[in-house]
Amino acid sequence: MREVTHEATGPVRLDESDVDPEYGDVAVCMCGLSDERPFCDGSHRVTEDEEEGVRYRYEDGDRKEIEEIRVRD
Ligand code: FES
């Protein structure tokens, strides 16, 4: 399980000058859900209907709203 607080729900597309010609169009994951980090694998699509101000936990393909984030000592 991984808990990350993000504002972004989609990828960052790199400028043409940043792209390695071997890989072509590359997007960097900003949602924290990609299995191909640091690259976007399309997993961000599950965040498209998130509501403003609501916190979510994504785990094993499921999404749950969470009340609070607890910090472990
Ligand atoms: S931005 Fe994270 S998977 Fe696309």
Side-chain angles (χ1 to χ4, degrees):
M1 181 182 71
R2 183 166 181 252
E3 286 189 19
V4 179
T5 301
H6 278 276
E7 296 288 323
T9 58
V12 169
R13 297 205 180 276
L14 301 178
D15 182 85
E16 188 173 307
S17 65
D18 297 324
V19 176
D20 184 329
E22 181 179 339
Y23 295 104
D25 184 19
V26 176
V28 175
C29 174
M30 296 296 288
C31 76
L33 297 174
S34 176
D35 288 331
E36 305 294 329
R37 283 185 300 270
F39 304 111
C40 170
D41 69 355
S43 296
H44 63 268
R45 292 184 188 104
V46 299
T47 68
E48 290 176 352
D49 62 346
E50 287 185 350
E51 294 179 35
E52 184 80 26
V54 178
R55 293 180 178 203
Y56 299 93
R57 172 184 290 161
Y58 291 89
E59 186 174 12
D60 299 328
D62 292 328
R63 177 175 72 185
K64 296 178 182 163
E65 290 184 21
I66 57 174
E67 299 287 325
E68 63 182 283
I69 295 176
R70 294 184 187 160
V71 178
R72 295 182 187 152
D73 295 326

Coordinates of all heavy atoms in Angstrom, one line a residue:
M1 N 0.8 -1.2 0.0 CA 0.0 0.0 0.0 C 0.9 1.2 0.0 O 2.0 1.2 0.6 CB -0.9 0.0 1.2 CG -1.8 1.2 1.2 SD -2.8 1.3 2.7 CE -1.7 1.8 3.9
R2 N 0.4 2.3 -0.6 CA 1.2 3.5 -0.7 C 0.2 4.7 -0.5 O -0.8 4.7 -1.1 CB 1.8 3.6 -2.1 CG 2.7 4.8 -2.3 CD 3.5 4.5 -3.5 NE 4.4 5.7 -3.7 CZ 4.2 6.6 -4.7 NH1 3.2 6.4 -5.5 NH2 5.0 7.6 -4.8
E3 N 0.5 5.6 0.4 CA -0.3 6.8 0.6 C 0.5 8.0 0.2 O 1.6 8.2 0.7 CB -0.8 6.9 2.0 CG -1.8 5.9 2.4 CD -2.4 6.2 3.8 OE1 -2.3 7.3 4.3 OE2 -3.0 5.3 4.3
V4 N -0.1 8.7 -0.7 CA 0.6 10.0 -1.2 C -0.5 11.0 -1.4 O -1.6 10.8 -1.8 CB 1.2 9.7 -2.6 CG1 1.8 10.9 -3.2 CG2 2.2 8.6 -2.6
T5 N -0.2 12.2 -0.9 CA -1.1 13.3 -1.1 C -0.7 14.1 -2.4 O 0.4 14.6 -2.4 CB -1.1 14.3 0.1 OG1 -1.5 13.5 1.2 CG2 -2.1 15.4 -0.1
H6 N -1.6 14.2 -3.3 CA -1.3 14.8 -4.6 C -2.4 15.8 -4.9 O -3.5 15.6 -4.7 CB -1.2 13.8 -5.7 CG 0.1 13.1 -5.8 ND1 1.1 13.6 -6.5 CD2 0.4 11.9 -5.4 CE1 2.1 12.7 -6.4 NE2 1.7 11.7 -5.8
E7 N -2.0 16.9 -5.6 CA -2.9 17.8 -6.2 C -3.2 17.4 -7.6 O -4.3 17.6 -8.1 CB -2.4 19.2 -6.2 CG -2.1 19.8 -4.8 CD -3.4 20.1 -4.0 OE1 -4.4 20.6 -4.7 OE2 -3.5 19.9 -2.8
A8 N -2.2 16.8 -8.3 CA -2.4 16.5 -9.7 C -3.1 15.2 -9.9 O -3.1 14.3 -9.0 CB -1.0 16.3 -10.3
T9 N -3.9 15.1 -10.9 CA -4.6 13.9 -11.3 C -4.3 13.4 -12.7 O -4.9 12.5 -13.2 CB -6.1 14.1 -11.1 OG1 -6.5 15.1 -12.0 CG2 -6.5 14.4 -9.7
G10 N -3.3 14.0 -13.3 CA -2.9 13.5 -14.6 C -1.4 13.7 -14.8 O -0.7 14.2 -13.9
P11 N -0.9 13.3 -16.0 CA 0.5 13.3 -16.2 C 1.0 14.7 -16.6 O 0.3 15.6 -17.0 CB 0.7 12.3 -17.4 CG -0.6 12.5 -18.1 CD -1.7 12.7 -17.1
V12 N 2.3 14.8 -16.6 CA 3.0 16.0 -17.2 C 3.7 15.5 -18.5 O 4.4 14.6 -18.5 CB 4.1 16.5 -16.2 CG1 5.0 17.6 -16.9 CG2 3.5 17.1 -15.0
R13 N 3.3 16.2 -19.5 CA 3.9 15.9 -20.8 C 5.2 16.7 -21.0 O 5.2 17.9 -20.7 CB 3.0 16.2 -22.0 CG 1.8 15.3 -21.9 CD 1.1 15.1 -23.2 NE -0.1 14.3 -23.1 CZ 0.0 13.0 -23.1 NH1 1.1 12.3 -23.2 NH2 -1.1 12.3 -22.9
L14 N 6.2 16.0 -21.4 CA 7.5 16.7 -21.5 C 7.6 17.5 -22.8 O 7.0 17.1 -23.8 CB 8.6 15.7 -21.4 CG 8.7 14.9 -20.1 CD1 9.8 13.8 -20.2 CD2 8.9 15.7 -18.9
D15 N 8.4 18.5 -22.8 CA 8.7 19.3 -24.0 C 9.5 18.4 -24.9 O 10.2 17.5 -24.5 CB 9.5 20.5 -23.6 CG 9.8 21.4 -24.8 OD1 9.0 22.2 -25.1 OD2 10.9 21.2 -25.4
E16 N 9.3 18.6 -26.2 CA 10.0 17.8 -27.2 C 11.5 17.7 -26.9 O 12.1 16.7 -27.2 CB 9.8 18.4 -28.6 CG 10.3 17.6 -29.7 CD 9.8 18.2 -31.1 OE1 8.6 18.5 -31.2 OE2 10.7 18.4 -31.9
S17 N 12.1 18.8 -26.4 CA 13.5 18.8 -26.2 C 13.9 17.8 -25.0 O 15.1 17.4 -24.8 CB 14.1 20.2 -25.9 OG 13.5 20.7 -24.7
D18 N 12.9 17.5 -24.2 CA 13.1 16.6 -23.0 C 13.0 15.1 -23.4 O 13.4 14.3 -22.6 CB 12.1 16.9 -21.9 CG 12.3 18.3 -21.3 OD1 13.4 18.8 -21.3 OD2 11.2 18.9 -21.0
V19 N 12.4 14.8 -24.5 CA 12.1 13.5 -24.9 C 13.3 12.7 -25.5 O 13.9 13.2 -26.4 CB 10.9 13.5 -25.8 CG1 10.6 12.0 -26.3 CG2 9.7 14.1 -25.1
D20 N 13.5 11.5 -25.0 CA 14.5 10.7 -25.6 C 14.0 10.1 -26.9 O 12.9 9.5 -27.0 CB 14.8 9.5 -24.7 CG 15.9 8.6 -25.1 OD1 16.1 8.5 -26.4 OD2 16.6 8.0 -24.3
P21 N 14.7 10.4 -28.0 CA 14.1 9.9 -29.3 C 13.9 8.4 -29.4 O 13.0 8.0 -30.2 CB 15.2 10.3 -30.3 CG 16.3 10.9 -29.6 CD 15.9 11.0 -28.1
E22 N 14.5 7.6 -28.6 CA 14.3 6.2 -28.6 C 12.9 5.9 -28.0 O 12.2 4.9 -28.5 CB 15.3 5.5 -27.7 CG 15.2 4.0 -27.6 CD 16.2 3.4 -26.8 OE1 17.3 4.0 -26.5 OE2 16.0 2.2 -26.3
Y23 N 12.3 6.7 -27.1 CA 11.0 6.4 -26.5 C 9.9 7.2 -27.1 O 8.7 6.8 -26.9 CB 11.1 6.6 -25.0 CG 12.0 5.6 -24.3 CD1 13.2 6.0 -23.9 CD2 11.6 4.3 -24.1 CE1 14.1 5.1 -23.3 CE2 12.5 3.4 -23.5 CZ 13.7 3.8 -23.1 OH 14.5 2.9 -22.5
G24 N 10.2 8.3 -27.8 CA 9.1 9.1 -28.4 C 8.4 9.9 -27.3 O 9.0 10.5 -26.4
D25 N 7.1 10.0 -27.4 CA 6.2 10.8 -26.5 C 6.2 10.2 -25.1 O 5.8 9.0 -25.0 CB 4.8 10.9 -27.1 CG 3.9 11.8 -26.2 OD1 4.5 12.6 -25.5 OD2 2.7 11.6 -26.3
V26 N 6.7 10.9 -24.1 CA 6.8 10.4 -22.8 C 6.1 11.3 -21.8 O 6.2 12.5 -21.9 CB 8.3 10.3 -22.4 CG1 8.4 9.8 -20.9 CG2 9.0 9.3 -23.3
A27 N 5.3 10.8 -20.9 CA 4.6 11.6 -19.9 C 5.0 11.1 -18.5 O 5.2 9.8 -18.3 CB 3.1 11.5 -20.0
V28 N 5.3 12.0 -17.6 CA 5.7 11.6 -16.3 C 4.5 11.6 -15.3 O 3.7 12.5 -15.3 CB 6.7 12.7 -15.7 CG1 7.1 12.4 -14.3 CG2 8.0 12.7 -16.6
C29 N 4.4 10.5 -14.6 CA 3.2 10.3 -13.7 C 3.3 11.4 -12.6 O 4.3 11.5 -11.9 CB 3.3 8.9 -13.1 SG 2.0 8.6 -11.8
M30 N 2.1 12.0 -12.4 CA 2.0 13.0 -11.3 C 0.9 12.5 -10.3 O 0.7 13.2 -9.3 CB 1.6 14.3 -11.9 CG 2.7 14.9 -12.7 SD 4.3 15.2 -11.8 CE 3.8 16.6 -10.8
C31 N 0.2 11.4 -10.6 CA -0.9 11.0 -9.7 C -0.4 10.0 -8.7 O -1.1 9.8 -7.7 CB -2.0 10.4 -10.5 SG -1.7 8.7 -11.2
G32 N 0.8 9.4 -8.9 CA 1.3 8.4 -7.9 C 0.8 7.0 -8.1 O 1.1 6.1 -7.3
L33 N 0.0 6.7 -9.1 CA -0.6 5.4 -9.2 C 0.0 4.5 -10.3 O -0.3 3.3 -10.4 CB -2.1 5.6 -9.6 CG -3.0 6.3 -8.5 CD1 -4.4 6.5 -9.1 CD2 -3.0 5.5 -7.3
S34 N 0.9 5.1 -11.1 CA 1.5 4.3 -12.2 C 2.3 3.1 -11.6 O 3.1 3.3 -10.7 CB 2.4 5.2 -13.0 OG 3.0 4.4 -14.0
D35 N 2.2 2.0 -12.3 CA 3.1 0.9 -12.0 C 4.4 1.0 -12.8 O 5.3 0.1 -12.7 CB 2.5 -0.5 -12.4 CG 1.3 -0.8 -11.4 OD1 1.4 -0.4 -10.3 OD2 0.4 -1.5 -11.9
E36 N 4.5 2.0 -13.7 CA 5.7 2.2 -14.5 C 6.4 3.5 -14.1 O 7.1 4.2 -14.9 CB 5.3 2.3 -16.0 CG 4.5 1.1 -16.5 CD 5.3 -0.1 -16.5 OE1 6.5 -0.1 -16.7 OE2 4.7 -1.2 -16.3
R37 N 6.3 4.0 -12.8 CA 6.9 5.2 -12.4 C 8.4 5.2 -12.8 O 9.1 4.2 -12.7 CB 6.8 5.4 -10.9 CG 5.4 5.9 -10.5 CD 5.4 6.1 -9.0 NE 5.6 4.9 -8.2 CZ 4.7 4.1 -7.8 NH1 3.5 4.2 -8.0 NH2 5.1 3.0 -7.1
P38 N 8.9 6.3 -13.3 CA 8.3 7.6 -13.2 C 7.4 7.9 -14.4 O 6.8 9.1 -14.5 CB 9.5 8.6 -13.2 CG 10.5 7.9 -14.1 CD 10.3 6.4 -13.8
F39 N 7.1 7.0 -15.2 CA 6.3 7.3 -16.4 C 4.8 7.0 -16.2 O 4.5 6.0 -15.4 CB 6.8 6.5 -17.6 CG 8.3 6.7 -17.9 CD1 9.2 5.8 -17.6 CD2 8.7 8.0 -18.3 CE1 10.6 6.0 -17.9 CE2 10.0 8.3 -18.5 CZ 11.0 7.3 -18.3
C40 N 4.0 7.7 -16.8 CA 2.5 7.5 -16.8 C 2.2 6.2 -17.6 O 2.7 6.0 -18.6 CB 1.8 8.7 -17.5 SG 0.1 8.5 -17.8
D41 N 1.3 5.4 -16.9 CA 0.9 4.2 -17.6 C -0.7 4.2 -17.9 O -1.3 3.2 -18.2 CB 1.3 2.9 -16.9 CG 0.5 2.8 -15.5 OD1 -0.2 3.7 -15.2 OD2 0.7 1.7 -14.9
G42 N -1.3 5.4 -17.6 CA -2.7 5.5 -17.9 C -3.5 5.2 -16.6 O -4.8 5.4 -16.6
S43 N -2.9 4.8 -15.5 CA -3.7 4.5 -14.3 C -4.4 5.7 -13.7 O -5.3 5.6 -13.0 CB -2.7 4.0 -13.2 OG -2.1 2.8 -13.6
H44 N -4.0 6.9 -14.1 CA -4.6 8.2 -13.6 C -6.1 8.3 -14.0 O -6.8 9.1 -13.4 CB -3.8 9.4 -14.1 CG -3.9 9.6 -15.6 ND1 -2.9 9.0 -16.4 CD2 -4.8 10.2 -16.4 CE1 -3.2 9.3 -17.6 NE2 -4.4 10.0 -17.7
R45 N -6.5 7.5 -15.0 CA -7.9 7.6 -15.4 C -8.9 7.3 -14.3 O -10.0 7.8 -14.3 CB -8.1 6.7 -16.6 CG -7.4 7.1 -17.8 CD -7.7 6.2 -19.0 NE -6.8 6.6 -20.1 CZ -5.8 5.9 -20.5 NH1 -5.5 4.7 -19.9 NH2 -5.0 6.3 -21.5
V46 N -8.5 6.5 -13.3 CA -9.4 6.2 -12.2 C -9.6 7.5 -11.3 O -10.5 7.4 -10.4 CB -8.9 5.0 -11.3 CG1 -8.8 3.8 -12.2 CG2 -7.6 5.3 -10.6
T47 N -8.8 8.5 -11.4 CA -9.0 9.7 -10.6 C -9.9 10.8 -11.3 O -10.2 11.8 -10.6 CB -7.6 10.4 -10.3 OG1 -7.1 10.9 -11.6 CG2 -6.6 9.4 -9.8
E48 N -10.4 10.5 -12.5 CA -11.1 11.5 -13.2 C -12.3 12.0 -12.5 O -12.7 13.2 -12.7 CB -11.4 11.0 -14.6 CG -10.1 10.9 -15.5 CD -10.4 10.4 -16.9 OE1 -11.5 9.9 -17.1 OE2 -9.4 10.4 -17.6
D49 N -13.0 11.2 -11.7 CA -14.2 11.7 -11.1 C -14.0 12.0 -9.6 O -15.0 12.1 -8.8 CB -15.3 10.6 -11.3 CG -15.0 9.3 -10.6 OD1 -13.8 9.1 -10.3 OD2 -15.9 8.5 -10.5
E50 N -12.8 12.2 -9.2 CA -12.5 12.6 -7.8 C -13.2 14.0 -7.5 O -13.2 14.8 -8.4 CB -11.0 12.7 -7.5 CG -10.3 11.4 -7.4 CD -8.9 11.6 -7.0 OE1 -8.4 12.7 -7.0 OE2 -8.2 10.6 -6.8
E51 N -13.7 14.1 -6.3 CA -14.3 15.4 -5.9 C -13.3 16.3 -5.2 O -12.5 15.8 -4.5 CB -15.5 15.1 -5.0 CG -16.6 14.3 -5.7 CD -17.8 14.1 -4.7 OE1 -18.0 14.9 -3.8 OE2 -18.4 13.0 -4.8
E52 N -13.4 17.6 -5.4 CA -12.6 18.6 -4.8 C -12.7 18.4 -3.3 O -13.8 18.3 -2.7 CB -13.0 20.0 -5.2 CG -12.2 21.1 -4.7 CD -10.9 21.2 -5.5 OE1 -10.9 20.9 -6.7 OE2 -9.9 21.7 -5.0
G53 N -11.6 18.4 -2.6 CA -11.6 18.4 -1.1 C -11.7 17.1 -0.5 O -11.7 17.0 0.7
V54 N -11.9 16.0 -1.3 CA -12.1 14.7 -0.7 C -10.8 14.0 -0.9 O -10.1 14.1 -1.9 CB -13.2 13.9 -1.5 CG1 -13.3 12.5 -0.9 CG2 -14.5 14.6 -1.4
R55 N -10.4 13.2 0.1 CA -9.1 12.4 0.1 C -9.5 11.0 -0.2 O -10.4 10.5 0.3 CB -8.4 12.5 1.4 CG -7.8 13.9 1.6 CD -7.1 14.0 2.9 NE -6.6 15.3 3.0 CZ -5.6 15.7 3.8 NH1 -5.0 14.8 4.5 NH2 -5.2 16.9 3.9
Y56 N -8.6 10.4 -1.0 CA -8.9 9.0 -1.4 C -7.7 8.1 -1.2 O -6.6 8.6 -1.2 CB -9.2 8.9 -3.0 CG -10.4 9.7 -3.4 CD1 -10.3 11.1 -3.8 CD2 -11.7 9.1 -3.3 CE1 -11.4 11.8 -4.2 CE2 -12.8 9.9 -3.7 CZ -12.7 11.2 -4.1 OH -13.8 11.9 -4.5
R57 N -7.9 6.9 -1.0 CA -6.9 5.9 -0.9 C -7.1 4.9 -2.0 O -8.2 4.3 -2.2 CB -6.9 5.1 0.4 CG -5.9 4.0 0.4 CD -5.9 3.2 1.7 NE -5.4 4.0 2.8 CZ -5.6 3.8 4.1 NH1 -6.4 2.8 4.4 NH2 -5.1 4.6 5.0
Y58 N -6.1 4.6 -2.8 CA -6.2 3.6 -3.9 C -5.3 2.4 -3.5 O -4.2 2.6 -3.2 CB -5.7 4.2 -5.2 CG -6.6 5.2 -5.8 CD1 -6.4 6.6 -5.5 CD2 -7.6 4.9 -6.7 CE1 -7.2 7.5 -6.0 CE2 -8.4 5.9 -7.2 CZ -8.2 7.2 -6.9 OH -9.0 8.2 -7.4
E59 N -6.0 1.3 -3.4 CA -5.3 0.1 -3.0 C -5.8 -1.1 -3.7 O -7.0 -1.4 -3.6 CB -5.4 -0.1 -1.4 CG -4.6 -1.2 -0.9 CD -4.7 -1.2 0.7 OE1 -5.5 -0.5 1.2 OE2 -3.9 -1.9 1.3
D60 N -4.9 -1.9 -4.3 CA -5.3 -3.1 -5.0 C -6.5 -2.9 -6.0 O -7.4 -3.7 -6.0 CB -5.7 -4.2 -4.0 CG -4.5 -4.6 -3.1 OD1 -3.3 -4.5 -3.6 OD2 -4.7 -4.9 -1.9
G61 N -6.5 -1.8 -6.7 CA -7.5 -1.5 -7.6 C -8.8 -0.9 -7.1 O -9.7 -0.6 -7.8
D62 N -8.9 -0.8 -5.8 CA -10.1 -0.2 -5.1 C -9.8 1.2 -4.7 O -8.7 1.6 -4.3 CB -10.5 -1.0 -3.9 CG -11.1 -2.4 -4.3 OD1 -11.6 -2.5 -5.4 OD2 -10.9 -3.3 -3.5
R63 N -10.8 2.0 -4.7 CA -10.7 3.4 -4.2 C -11.6 3.6 -3.0 O -12.8 3.2 -3.0 CB -11.1 4.4 -5.2 CG -11.0 5.8 -4.7 CD -11.3 6.8 -5.8 NE -12.7 6.8 -6.2 CZ -13.2 7.6 -7.2 NH1 -12.3 8.3 -7.9 NH2 -14.4 7.5 -7.5
K64 N -11.1 4.2 -1.9 CA -11.9 4.5 -0.7 C -11.7 5.9 -0.3 O -10.6 6.4 -0.5 CB -11.5 3.6 0.4 CG -11.7 2.1 0.2 CD -11.2 1.3 1.4 CE -11.5 -0.2 1.1 NZ -10.7 -1.0 1.9
E65 N -12.7 6.6 0.1 CA -12.6 7.9 0.7 C -12.0 7.7 2.1 O -12.4 6.8 2.8 CB -13.9 8.6 0.8 CG -14.5 9.0 -0.6 CD -15.8 9.8 -0.5 OE1 -16.1 10.4 0.6 OE2 -16.5 9.8 -1.5
I66 N -11.1 8.6 2.5 CA -10.6 8.5 3.8 C -10.9 9.8 4.6 O -11.0 10.9 4.1 CB -9.0 8.2 3.8 CG1 -8.3 9.3 3.0 CG2 -8.8 6.9 3.3 CD1 -6.8 9.2 3.1
E67 N -11.1 9.6 5.9 CA -11.5 10.7 6.8 C -10.2 11.5 7.2 O -10.3 12.7 7.2 CB -12.1 10.2 8.1 CG -13.4 9.4 7.8 CD -14.5 10.3 7.4 OE1 -14.6 11.4 7.9 OE2 -15.3 9.9 6.6
E68 N -9.1 10.9 7.5 CA -8.0 11.6 8.0 C -6.7 10.8 7.6 O -6.8 9.6 7.4 CB -8.0 11.8 9.5 CG -8.0 10.5 10.3 CD -8.1 10.8 11.8 OE1 -7.1 11.1 12.3 OE2 -9.2 10.6 12.3
I69 N -5.6 11.4 7.6 CA -4.3 10.8 7.4 C -3.6 10.7 8.7 O -3.4 11.7 9.4 CB -3.5 11.5 6.4 CG1 -4.2 11.5 5.0 CG2 -2.1 10.9 6.3 CD1 -3.5 12.3 4.0
R70 N -3.3 9.5 9.1 CA -2.6 9.2 10.4 C -1.1 9.1 10.1 O -0.7 8.3 9.2 CB -3.1 8.0 11.1 CG -4.5 8.1 11.5 CD -5.0 6.9 12.2 NE -6.4 7.0 12.5 CZ -7.2 6.0 12.8 NH1 -6.7 4.8 12.9 NH2 -8.4 6.2 13.0
V71 N -0.3 9.8 10.8 CA 1.2 9.7 10.7 C 1.7 8.8 11.7 O 1.4 8.9 12.9 CB 1.8 11.1 10.9 CG1 3.3 11.0 10.7 CG2 1.2 12.1 9.9
R72 N 2.5 7.8 11.3 CA 3.1 6.8 12.2 C 4.3 7.4 12.8 O 5.1 8.1 12.2 CB 3.4 5.5 11.4 CG 2.1 4.8 10.9 CD 2.5 3.6 10.2 NE 1.3 3.0 9.6 CZ 1.3 2.3 8.6 NH1 2.4 1.9 8.0 NH2 0.2 1.8 8.1
D73 N 4.6 7.0 14.0 CA 5.8 7.4 14.7 C 7.0 6.7 14.3 O 7.0 5.6 13.9 CB 5.7 7.3 16.2 CG 4.6 8.2 16.8 OD1 4.4 9.3 16.2 OD2 3.9 7.8 17.7
Ligands
FES1 S1 -0.4 10.5 -14.3 FE1 -0.1 8.8 -13.0 S2 -0.6 7.1 -14.3 FE2 -0.9 8.8 -15.5

